[in-house]
Amino acid sequence: MNLRVDFRPSKEAFDFLIKALDKYKFAHDPLQLHDKARMMKSFDKNCFAVLLEDEKPIGFSTWQRYRNVAEIQYKWLLPSYRGMGVGKKFGLMFNKGLLQRRIYLLVVEPATDYGNGMARTLEYRRLDGIGLTKRGESHWNLLKGMDMS
């Protein structure tokens, strides 16, 4: 499996993944118009990364940057790639790319069981008591000085 993260994806890759997301949804929840608007805004601000397998888009992540901190807004993989360790590889490559862009702290607020699983797999630490999601689970990960191999 030849995986690569593209931090400057094409509009074609973006459109392909949004259509796939419309088809497969977020954990069986339909994609809302405000979600699409946030994703387009992230794409326009170069805060949209695509995971490619042999140059074919198979997943994406979006974030909002605040100086050296990034809030991960969305992370999604095609369903056929879940449960095989691809999400973990994507997370590690994504984190390394953010670190190269001088982002040293990540904050995530998973909205699905998939997101909570990915936060645990990547060893994000829980921020108890300040959760903003319906499950009240916020997580953070310090990237600076981490082994990203």
Side-chain angles (χ1 to χ4, degrees):
M1 189 173 289
N2 183 22
L3 298 175
R4 176 175 80 82
V5 177
D6 185 353
F7 281 86
R8 297 275 185 170
S10 68
K11 181 73 164 81
E12 292 77 21
F14 173 83
D15 290 340
F16 173 84
L17 288 165
I18 297 304
K19 284 179 187 172
L21 184 56
D22 276 334
K23 179 179 178 181
Y24 297 110
K25 307 184 185 349
F26 273 122
H28 310 294
D29 292 332
L31 185 61
Q32 302 294 322
L33 289 177
H34 69 273
D35 291 318
K36 282 186 181 180
R38 285 178 76 187
M39 289 173 196
M40 178 55 84
K41 185 177 179 181
S42 292
F43 180 78
D44 290 342
K45 292 174 114 182
N46 294 317
C47 292
F48 190 98
V50 170
L51 178 64
L52 302 162
E53 180 197 29
D54 297 323
E55 299 307 307
K56 175 189 163 207
I58 63 168
F60 70 88
S61 188
T62 70
W63 67 96
Q64 185 72 30
R65 183 176 185 150
Y66 309 95
R67 295 186 184 231
N68 298 98
V69 177
E71 176 191 357
I72 307 304
Q73 295 176 327
Y74 301 97
K75 188 168 276 191
W76 187 80
L77 281 175
L78 287 170
S80 59
Y81 289 88
R82 296 179 191 159
M84 303 183 325
V86 175
K88 182 175 183 174
K89 289 177 185 172
F90 180 26
L92 292 172
M93 291 187 298
F94 178 75
N95 291 357
K96 186 176 183 177
L98 289 180
L99 188 58
Q100 291 168 348
R101 286 159 178 75
R102 296 184 176 186
I103 292 176
Y104 304 123
L105 179 67
L106 298 180
V107 178
V108 297
E109 294 182 20
T112 67
D113 290 335
Y114 294 117
N116 283 315
M118 191 171 290
R120 280 190 304 277
T121 298
L122 294 172
E123 299 179 2
Y124 282 49
R125 295 150 192 94
R126 279 192 65 164
L127 293 171
D128 292 321
I130 66 165
L132 301 175
T133 64
K134 59 185 172 185
R135 293 197 172 111
E137 297 179 8
S138 295
H139 304 268
W140 65 274
N141 199 357
L142 184 63
L143 297 179
K144 193 170 186 178
M146 289 184 65
D147 177 20
M148 294 292 185
S149 53

